[in-house]
Amino acid sequence: MSAHMKKILIVEDSDLLHRMYELIFRRYRSEGCELLHAYNGREGVDLLARHPDVDLVILDINMPIMSGLEFLLRVKKEAAFQDLVVIIISTEGKEDDTLRGLEAGARGYLTKPFQPTDLHKLIDRVFDTREGKLLEAR
Amino acid sequence: MNEFDDLTREFFLDARDRLARAEELFLSLEDATEPPVRAALLADLKRELHTIKGNSGMMGFTPLQTRAHHLEDAVFALAEGGDWILEPIIDGVDDLRKLLEEQERAVEEGGSAGDAPAASPAAAAWQEAVASSSVPAGGAPAFPAGATADEGAPRGADTPAAPAQASVRVSFQSLDELVELLAEMVIFRNRLSDAISRAQATHAADRDIDEIGLSHEALAKTLGGIQDRVMRLRMVPLRSLFGSLRRIVHDEGRREGKEVRFEIRGGETPIDKALLEVAAEALGHLVRNAVIHGLESPDERRRAGKPPVGTLRLVASSRTEDLQLEITDDGRGVDRGAVLASARRSGIEFPESASLETILFRAGVSTRRTADIGSGRGVGLRAVQLAVERVGGRVQVASEAGRGTNFRIRLPLTVSILRTLLVVAGGETYALPLANVLESLRFGEADGREVNHALVYRWRGEVLPLLDIASTFGQEFVRRRSGYVMVIESDGKRRGLLADEITGIREIVVKGLDAVVGTPAGISGSTILGDGRVILILDPRGLVALSPFVGAEGDPVRPPEPPESTVPVPGLETP
């Protein structure tokens, strides 16, 4: 596993899925990575403001109260977050939003339902293509 | 895999909740006519189904995901078209629920999610993904406190081990325990209050005593605040009942061939969780009754000049002193004459002045003309009244023949449970608060001594005045040969109470915390047992004051005259 992350922000409205991500990211947590939890786009923006050193955002594209897309557009306006890696979690039927998200600066996407290993592999690929910029420990 | 099992359990809980909400939304759609209301309901509905579908997929329950997907499609179709073909959708919800329950059972029986066939592909993938962390098998920590020292806990003060919660889950048992402790604190507070009053009376100028008095007042106020809040913790919104009520109206309406419009107001009204069941039972009965008996068929209604669709309205409201639930229908109303005639046939004769409640709620009275005895419909109303009164509430009925019927249920805002000892004395059962009982012992003829016309009892080096319960409350004094003595304590004084039998420990429901005016000394109120019997609750403080006490000099002192009790005890009048 190549990506070495210190902070991952999960923006997702389902409580159940947050707990799922806890399990999915156990391997990173065991290496000292923190998980931050936001339940809607607005909370996501707040958390990012307080933790600008987040390495990865897992973003649910389909949320009420500031959707995933709104969060992304808002965040990518800031110079500080141009390099922030965002992975969109999409569902069938939301392809348009996903495309717009990628255009707005998301680095990758996964469609629900997905296997934990799918997410791990995607993360590895995304960080590898950044040519080791994030491989150095912060 | 421990954590995955926990997650699976969470998933089922979450799915069931969402499905229940989806069902309520569906049934609300039946009544919704304005486009913006329909649109909002549909949007919420889509969300719930979409989330169930997504979560099912993530957890690997493909059949559930597929079925939820179909339901989602059906709702989309509904949103597009104008026709309300809700029947197949409601059936679809039922199917989904059945499947959910099946899967949940399969998982439980399978031991862990890993064995259940439906979940195994995902479970395998999960186990692989999660197991590839560096934690040794033996040290697998329990979810959600997964970040133990073994794993190298995530650093940083604001990373919670579990998703940050804005609330905490507390079991109702814990709340009940709190409530019991509070009830005991009230007893101690009362004792303290009395002691302070006495001290203030004899040491009027003492500033320390004043200080104690003021502090006690402040303490009592805080205690009251805690009590209020704890009681309120047990409140849940009434809304959680409404889904099943709508279901009843819908199903019975279909079965009876009647068209019913069910309006509900006051979903956010809070009700004590302990009362939820009673409310559910009562409302369920009344609602069913209204649809079956109260409302007429569309033809009959048209002939009577009424709109073919009957209206049933449930309004819930919170008042300062109680909670009110009103069920009103615009049906045929109660034909007093018919009910009296039916009662007469069963051999029950009511006086002309009898109230509607009296005639309707009498067991065995039914207005159902056809032989419907097996369904016990006539007994239903009596059961409702009993259940409601048992928790300290009331049911009232008003009706106008041809226009409709109104049932009004009043329930106390909170319910206190008091643990008591049930004893039998002179053929009557009494409830004695357990908190005041120090000990219960068998009593034999040799145990009682007479000292200057007062009965006393030797207990652990003390000489306790004895009170015979039966004769204290009206019966002839009979020198007891055997039975039981309960050593009680109140206000620092100890007494022995004599009874014939001890039936056991029973939790009884006490109506609110208000004093009952006019009860005789030694009685604090009454309660209704599960079998419908009304029994008296003994008041230890009052009893202690009644019995003779031994003065410091060692000679028995004449007790104060017990107050005259000529007011009838509420709850003891026979119906």
Side-chain angles (χ1 to χ4, degrees):
Chain A
M1 188 202 64
S2 52
H4 185 88
M5 288 175 284
K6 292 287 184 155
K7 285 188 188 170
I8 302 178
L9 168 64
I10 317 261
V11 188
E12 160 67 63
D13 68 318
S14 160
D15 205 22
L16 189 72
L17 288 178
H18 274 278
R19 293 181 61 132
M20 220 177 274
Y21 285 117
E22 288 271 318
L23 279 193
I24 295 178
F25 289 127
R26 197 147 160 243
R27 57 160 55 159
Y28 303 140
R29 286 162 58 213
S30 68
E31 281 157 23
C33 179
E34 283 183 41
L35 275 194
L36 303 171
H37 299 273
Y39 293 81
N40 58 58
R42 204 173 295 148
E43 276 182 39
V45 171
D46 286 342
L47 272 176
L48 255 189
R50 281 188 279 143
H51 302 266
D53 55 339
V54 161
D55 296 299
L56 169 67
V57 180
I58 303 291
L59 176 65
D60 179 359
I61 202 79
N62 183 23
M63 290 184 294
I65 311 177
M66 199 192 252
S67 68
L69 203 51
E70 285 176 55
F71 165 85
L72 193 50
L73 292 168
R74 175 85 169 275
V75 160
K76 283 297 178 178
K77 266 196 233 152
E78 312 283 326
F81 295 129
Q82 290 314 305
D83 284 342
L84 179 64
V85 177
V86 177
I87 289 180
I88 293 176
I89 305 294
S90 179
T91 54
E92 188 195 313
K94 287 280 173 184
E95 292 84 5
D96 281 342
D97 282 345
T98 307
L99 272 171
R100 278 159 60 202
L102 290 171
E103 280 162 16
R107 299 299 305 283
Y109 76 94
L110 264 188
T111 313
K112 269 197 262 187
F114 58 85
Q115 304 287 3
T117 40
D118 296 338
L119 184 55
H120 294 151
K121 287 195 199 124
L122 178 61
I123 291 174
D124 287 347
R125 277 207 310 276
V126 163
F127 280 88
D128 276 348
T129 63
R130 298 196 46 179
E131 295 169 72
K133 240 205 279 186
L134 281 126
L135 292 180
E136 277 100 53
R138 289 246 188 104
Chain B
M1 195 78 250
N2 220 338
E3 291 122 321
F4 192 60
D5 286 350
D6 281 338
L7 194 60
T8 308
R9 239 169 274 139
E10 275 275 329
F11 160 74
F12 280 116
L13 263 169
D14 183 76
R16 267 191 274 133
D17 272 346
R18 289 186 190 272
L19 200 54
R21 247 175 282 155
E23 187 179 33
E24 227 193 273
L25 288 165
F26 269 130
L27 294 171
S28 302
L29 267 173
E30 284 191 293
D31 297 327
T33 46
E34 286 110 65
V37 178
R38 293 225 291 223
L41 285 172
L42 278 167
D44 282 342
L45 200 40
K46 279 188 229 160
R47 271 214 79 71
E48 297 296 348
L49 291 174
H50 187 85
T51 310
I52 295 178
K53 179 184 84 176
N55 290 353
S56 301
M58 284 301 294
M59 297 297 295
F61 294 102
T62 319
L64 273 172
Q65 181 195 11
T66 315
R67 192 110 20 132
H69 188 102
H70 288 159
L71 213 44
E72 206 190 344
D73 282 345
V75 175
F76 267 101
L78 200 63
E80 302 306 305
D83 230 353
W84 286 131
I85 1 134
L86 288 179
E87 299 308 327
I89 296 185
I90 293 186
D91 290 338
V93 171
D94 260 343
D95 286 342
L96 188 55
R97 183 184 298 112
K98 276 196 207 107
L99 186 58
L100 192 61
E101 283 164 10
E102 257 171 62
Q103 302 272 270
E104 193 171 3
R105 250 184 313 233
V107 165
E108 270 165 37
E109 278 153 28
S112 89
D115 300 356
S120 45
W126 278 90
Q127 293 187 24
E128 186 226 312
V130 178
S132 62
S133 72
S134 47
V135 175
F143 195 88
T148 61
D150 301 319
E151 286 199 83
R155 275 157 267 146
D158 48 7
T159 301
Q165 304 264 331
S167 55
V168 171
R169 274 220 187 121
V170 175
S171 69
F172 279 102
Q173 187 185 340
S174 301
L175 280 181
D176 282 342
E177 284 164 18
L178 264 177
V179 169
E180 239 191 85
L181 282 172
L182 279 172
E184 279 176 44
M185 274 184 89
V186 169
I187 295 175
F188 301 142
R189 183 204 63 196
N190 291 343
R191 261 205 244 171
L192 193 57
S193 181
D194 283 349
I196 291 176
S197 304
R198 283 196 302 274
Q200 281 175 329
T202 52
H203 298 79
D206 196 317
R207 292 197 36 206
D208 283 331
I209 305 262
D210 275 342
E211 178 68 48
I212 294 177
L214 285 171
S215 300
H216 171 261
E217 245 183 75
L219 199 64
K221 216 167 146 194
T222 312
L223 180 58
I226 297 179
Q227 261 181 317
D228 273 342
R229 278 161 189 75
V230 169
M231 288 316 207
R232 250 179 275 147
L233 280 180
R234 291 158 35 138
M235 308 292 252
V236 294
L238 212 54
R239 183 182 299 114
S240 53
L241 286 182
F242 293 168
S244 63
L245 290 179
R246 283 196 183 279
R247 209 47 209 277
I248 293 176
V249 172
H250 183 266
D251 289 348
E252 296 291 349
R254 233 206 291 194
R255 198 171 300 150
E256 298 276 319
K258 297 183 183 163
E259 294 171 44
V260 186
R261 184 196 160 79
F262 192 21
E263 293 173 5
I264 305 187
R265 247 177 281 152
E268 68 290 345
T269 312
I271 184 171
D272 190 307
K273 174 72 158 72
L275 292 173
L276 201 62
E277 243 182 77
V278 172
E281 196 190 311
L283 290 175
H285 261 118
L286 292 178
V287 149
R288 189 176 279 116
N289 245 27
V291 174
I292 298 172
H293 299 261
L295 291 174
E296 315 95 323
S297 67
D299 284 336
E300 210 186 313
R301 287 182 68 89
R302 264 188 221 104
R303 282 198 296 268
K306 293 183 184 175
V309 178
T311 302
L312 185 58
R313 188 178 296 132
L314 165 60
V315 178
S317 53
S318 232
R319 305 170 355 132
T320 9
E321 65 282 12
D322 56 31
L323 169 71
Q324 188 169 280
L325 305 165
E326 274 195 271
I327 300 229
T328 318
D329 69 67
D330 66 349
R332 52 170 79 100
V334 176
D335 182 345
R336 205 185 146 92
V339 179
L340 285 176
S342 159
R344 201 169 295 129
R345 279 196 294 276
S346 321
I348 306 171
E349 195 65 52
F350 287 106
E352 268 311 305
S353 56
S355 70
L356 200 53
E357 285 91 3
T358 312
I359 15 183
L360 272 188
F361 292 158
R362 185 68 186 241
V365 167
S366 170
T367 52
R368 190 73 158 162
R369 269 175 270 269
T370 60
D372 214 62
I373 307 150
S375 69
R377 291 256 158 82
V379 180
L381 285 180
R382 174 78 178 139
V384 168
Q385 188 188 38
L386 259 181
V388 167
E389 282 180 5
R390 193 174 158 232
V391 295
R394 269 197 77 183
V395 193
Q396 287 167 298
V397 141
S399 180
E400 208 183 309
R403 297 281 306 273
T405 312
N406 165 279
F407 282 93
R408 183 184 292 165
I409 300 178
R410 295 226 168 105
L411 293 172
L413 288 173
T414 64
V415 162
S416 314
I417 312 280
L418 191 64
R419 293 192 85 211
T420 63
L421 196 62
L422 283 192
V423 302
V424 180
E428 295 290 328
T429 306
Y430 300 87
L432 179 60
L434 209 52
N436 299 81
V437 177
L438 296 179
E439 203 172 345
S440 340
L441 304 141
R442 286 215 64 125
F443 181 83
E445 191 169 357
D447 293 325
R449 306 276 154 83
E450 225 176 89
V451 179
N452 285 7
H453 310 294
L455 261 182
V456 294
Y457 178 72
R458 292 190 60 170
W459 180 76
R460 296 174 188 269
E462 283 185 52
V463 176
L464 307 181
L466 271 184
L467 248 188
D468 184 64
I469 297 177
S471 53
T472 305
F473 299 115
Q475 300 200 326
E476 279 276 334
F477 176 70
V478 171
R479 180 70 188 271
R480 220 148 277 287
R481 297 188 183 288
S482 68
Y484 290 85
V485 58
M486 276 81 56
V487 179
I488 62 166
E489 185 183 51
S490 176
D491 294 334
K493 301 199 195 87
R494 291 197 253 275
R495 299 286 184 268
L497 292 182
L498 281 179
D500 299 321
E501 294 166 38
I502 296 182
T503 317
I505 295 181
R506 186 75 67 88
E507 283 182 339
I508 61 168
V509 166
V510 180
K511 175 170 67 171
L513 297 168
D514 40 87
V516 186
V517 176
T519 40
I523 301 286
S524 66
S526 61
T527 185
I528 304 183
L529 292 182
D531 57 6
R533 274 188 296 158
V534 177
I535 65 168
L536 296 176
I537 306 173
L538 296 172
D539 172 31
R541 283 184 74 210
L543 291 173
V544 161
L546 276 180
S547 51
F549 49 95
V550 179
E553 308 79 57
D555 292 327
V557 178
R558 282 233 59 93
E561 287 298 315
E564 286 279 287
S565 52
T566 53
V567 181
V569 179
L572 276 191
E573 303 110 341
T574 43

